[in-house]
Amino acid sequence: MRGMTGTLITVAPTGAESSKADVPALPVTLDELVATAKECEALGASIIHVHIRDADARPTLDQGRLRATVAALRESTGLIVQLSSGGAVTDPESDRLAVLDAGPEMASCTMGTVNFGDDVFLNRWEFIVDLHTRMQERGIVPEYEIFDLGQLTTLQRLLGKYGLPFGGHVHVDLVMGVPGGMPGTTAAVAACEQAIRDLPEGTTFSATGVGRSTLPVMLASLSAGGHLRVGMEDTLTYAKGRPVESNMQLVARAVGFAQLAQRPPYTPAQARELLGVPSNHPDRRPETGLKAAR
Ligand code: KMH
Ligand code: ZN
């Protein structure tokens, strides 16, 4: 990881936790999401981590909306489209598994149950195995979400028992600073980086720090050879007393840090090559949603 020449920048623009009423800048419609995706790609993002909302801006895993979202993002951008299989803490396992039916190129796959504020984000071992093996069968590249150090050991167990993910490359995302998970500190990034060395050769990681841990986590990740995830799913305050104005503001800041670290953002094509995600060339896109409807 230390030899990384560029930086993967993932934007997580929406999440499932904030309401549009509280955070008007949150992209919740398909048009808002596509416009955000295009602008973030132009700034230097290469992956978009997607949660969607219904007509009332509430989190949903509606299959039709998911398919239309995947199709619109693939048609309008070169970004790698990563659907969240985590959804909201209230989503049942069956709906979370069905996210894979919407045909994303990547999907998240959380490596264990974690307290999540006052809630519980449930990820049973059997459910993790189901997600991992279905993604292998369908050619979907996972991003393994890690909320606590021990979840890296769970990932080691998963890969040992069920084999490498589709594409053969292992990529994890450290989600730090969730109340109930690991803290968003340099020490925690360093502990995870050490544990990642026990995963298959070439494993890459990105990191995101929730709330005010966003800056320390970003700096620690870059210095440890990691990549960056930013966005309004995780961060709503840009600086003390200054609400985030847009996802673009957070991506622009991440790009600035990556450039200062002399690891400029990877293009989506470079990110695909690194992560083993097939090309987004029009000839290789699946017939889904918008394209199929034309
Ligand atoms: N919304 C959280 C309960 C993921 O996207 O995979 C889960 C989450 C993780 O955001
Ligand atoms: Zn998410």
Side-chain angles (χ1 to χ4, degrees):
M1 265 172 298
R2 297 204 173 274
M4 281 294 155
T5 56
T7 304
L8 294 168
I9 296 183
T10 300
V11 60
T14 309
E17 281 71 40
S18 298
S19 76
K20 182 79 170 173
D22 291 343
V23 187
L26 205 65
V28 295
T29 67
L30 185 52
D31 284 350
E32 287 171 347
L33 184 65
V34 169
T36 298
K38 283 164 121 170
E39 289 187 55
C40 290
E41 180 180 13
L43 289 166
S46 51
I47 306 172
I48 184 162
H49 170 85
V50 180
H51 292 254
I52 62 164
R53 301 295 176 99
D54 66 15
D56 299 319
R58 285 185 306 236
T60 180
L61 295 180
D62 176 80
Q63 189 61 214
R65 281 182 184 266
L66 283 172
R67 283 176 192 251
T69 302
V70 170
L73 289 171
R74 295 200 73 185
E75 201 152 287
S76 308
T77 76
L79 294 171
I80 298 174
V81 179
Q82 178 192 104
L83 288 185
S84 166
S85 73
V89 288
T90 46
D91 286 320
E93 289 180 348
S94 55
D95 289 358
R96 292 174 56 194
L97 279 172
V99 165
L100 306 182
D101 299 342
E105 312 171 87
M106 284 187 88
S108 57
C109 180
T110 295
M111 281 298 109
T113 296
V114 63
N115 284 324
F116 199 86
D118 294 341
D119 297 306
V120 175
F121 181 31
L122 186 68
N123 293 283
R124 298 179 307 113
W125 170 249
E126 289 83 358
F127 177 68
I128 292 170
V129 170
D130 264 357
L131 269 176
H132 174 75
T133 52
R134 287 187 199 199
M135 283 196 238
Q136 281 173 326
E137 288 158 13
R138 294 171 191 210
I140 300 169
V141 174
E143 175 176 273
Y144 299 104
E145 307 292 340
I146 306 296
F147 288 75
D148 222 336
L149 182 63
Q151 293 180 3
L152 287 166
T153 311
T154 303
L155 176 56
Q156 206 180 358
R157 178 176 176 225
L158 182 75
L159 300 175
K161 278 182 177 269
Y162 296 96
L164 289 171
F166 173 78
H169 179 86
V170 180
H171 179 67
V172 310
D173 179 49
L174 310 175
V175 186
M176 316 186 78
V178 169
M182 63 184 154
T185 60
T186 302
V189 171
C192 288
E193 194 268 339
Q194 185 66 41
I196 287 168
R197 293 178 195 206
D198 293 332
L199 292 171
E201 174 104 35
T203 295
T204 49
F205 76 92
S206 56
T208 181
V210 170
R212 70 174 59 169
S213 69
T214 185
L215 289 175
V217 166
M218 186 148 47
L219 292 165
S221 184
L222 282 171
S223 75
H227 301 276
L228 306 178
R229 167 173 131 172
V230 293
M232 295 177 75
E233 173 166 345
D234 305 326
T235 306
L236 295 170
T237 303
Y238 189 77
K240 199 168 178 197
R242 274 179 70 191
V244 168
E245 285 163 19
S246 72
N247 282 285
M248 288 62 85
Q249 189 187 25
L250 295 173
V251 171
R253 180 164 68 177
V255 169
F257 278 123
Q259 279 164 343
L260 276 174
Q262 300 190 2
R263 286 181 42 202
Y266 283 132
T267 65
Q270 290 170 322
R272 286 171 193 281
E273 201 179 327
L274 179 67
L275 300 173
V277 177
S279 153
N280 186 30
H281 189 277
D283 293 347
R284 300 198 52 185
R285 287 185 200 152
E287 288 287 316
T288 51
L290 294 180
K291 200 175 166 211
R294 281 186 184 146

